[in-house]
Amino acid sequence: MEIKAYEKLAMGLRKRALQVGMSLGMGRAEAEDIAQEVMLRLWQMRNELDERGKTENLAAIMARNMSIDRKRRERTVTLDDRQRDLSSPAKTPAERIEADEEEQWLMRKLEQLPTTQHAILRMRHDEQLSHEDIAKRLGITVSSVSTLLSRARHSLLEEIRRRNRR
């Protein structure tokens, strides 16, 4: 497939991958990550792609498989679940103290992230900016945003796992 033909299909393929990810229960951010990964893999395979229908089906299958893989790897508590637990009102004074300590611990871990990862994570989750908007703000590529966001999330998840093992 020629580059121009791929560029014409790209938006539809990305949209399809995003739809599949979200239909399988992925959050918007995770579905965006999956769609980005699908687009990268399709770009790498662009010389082998032919017909629109087959390419769209391939994008959907790739997104489905990536979503399932993430779900399998994600059998532990996610950062979003952890934040929801921290923000819910505690019933007893001891639970409130524990929730405050958890929140303070998480804030310290966020501050310990590399500056760019911390900024991207905040822009994505607090300001709910798209990958494209973050890339424009920071003057980096969209794929760099995806990579740095993924690294930040992975670092925090590993810290949470380590803390839960204690």
Side-chain angles (χ1 to χ4, degrees):
M1 176 179 291
E2 292 185 27
I3 293 175
K4 294 225 185 253
Y6 179 84
E7 288 173 352
K8 286 181 181 178
L9 290 176
M11 290 306 290
L13 296 174
R14 186 179 182 291
K15 184 178 177 183
R16 180 73 176 128
L18 186 63
Q19 288 172 341
V20 169
M22 291 182 73
S23 72
L24 290 171
M26 306 304 278
R28 178 81 181 181
E30 288 177 307
E32 290 277 352
D33 290 345
I34 288 169
Q36 184 69 27
E37 181 71 23
V38 168
M39 294 308 296
L40 177 63
R41 290 186 184 180
L42 288 173
W43 173 253
Q44 291 169 340
M45 300 171 50
R46 71 185 176 279
N47 293 330
E48 301 165 31
L49 303 175
D50 288 329
E51 299 174 32
R52 177 183 169 88
K54 288 183 180 179
T55 305
E56 228 175 272
N57 290 340
L58 179 60
I61 291 167
M62 290 170 82
R64 178 183 173 277
N65 290 342
M66 286 179 201
S67 297
I68 291 169
D69 286 346
R70 278 192 186 214
K71 290 279 186 188
R72 285 180 183 152
R73 285 192 308 258
E74 202 180 82
R75 300 209 175 168
T76 60
V77 176
T78 64
L79 179 59
D80 291 336
D81 292 339
R82 189 75 170 195
Q83 286 176 328
R84 244 181 270 122
D85 291 345
L86 291 175
S87 63
S88 64
K91 295 177 183 165
T92 67
E95 289 173 338
R96 273 189 234 125
I97 290 170
E98 187 176 336
D100 288 344
E101 287 174 357
E102 289 284 326
E103 188 171 2
Q104 290 171 1
W105 176 85
L106 184 59
M107 291 303 137
R108 281 194 310 273
K109 293 302 174 185
L110 282 168
E111 294 299 324
Q112 291 173 358
L113 287 172
T115 307
T116 308
Q117 287 181 18
H118 181 252
I120 289 172
L121 192 64
R122 288 282 184 188
M123 284 187 245
R124 183 73 185 128
H125 289 282
D126 294 347
E127 299 175 36
Q128 297 190 351
L129 296 176
S130 69
H131 286 66
E132 293 81 11
D133 291 338
I134 295 170
K136 286 177 190 171
R137 267 197 193 177
L138 298 177
I140 60 178
T141 64
V142 175
S143 63
S144 294
V145 169
S146 295
T147 299
L148 291 167
L149 185 60
S150 176
R151 286 180 186 161
R153 288 175 178 158
H154 182 75
S155 295
L156 287 173
L157 184 58
E158 285 303 311
E159 289 294 331
I160 291 168
R161 285 180 179 155
R162 274 190 223 116
R163 183 176 172 103
N164 287 340
R165 282 188 212 130
R166 292 187 214 162

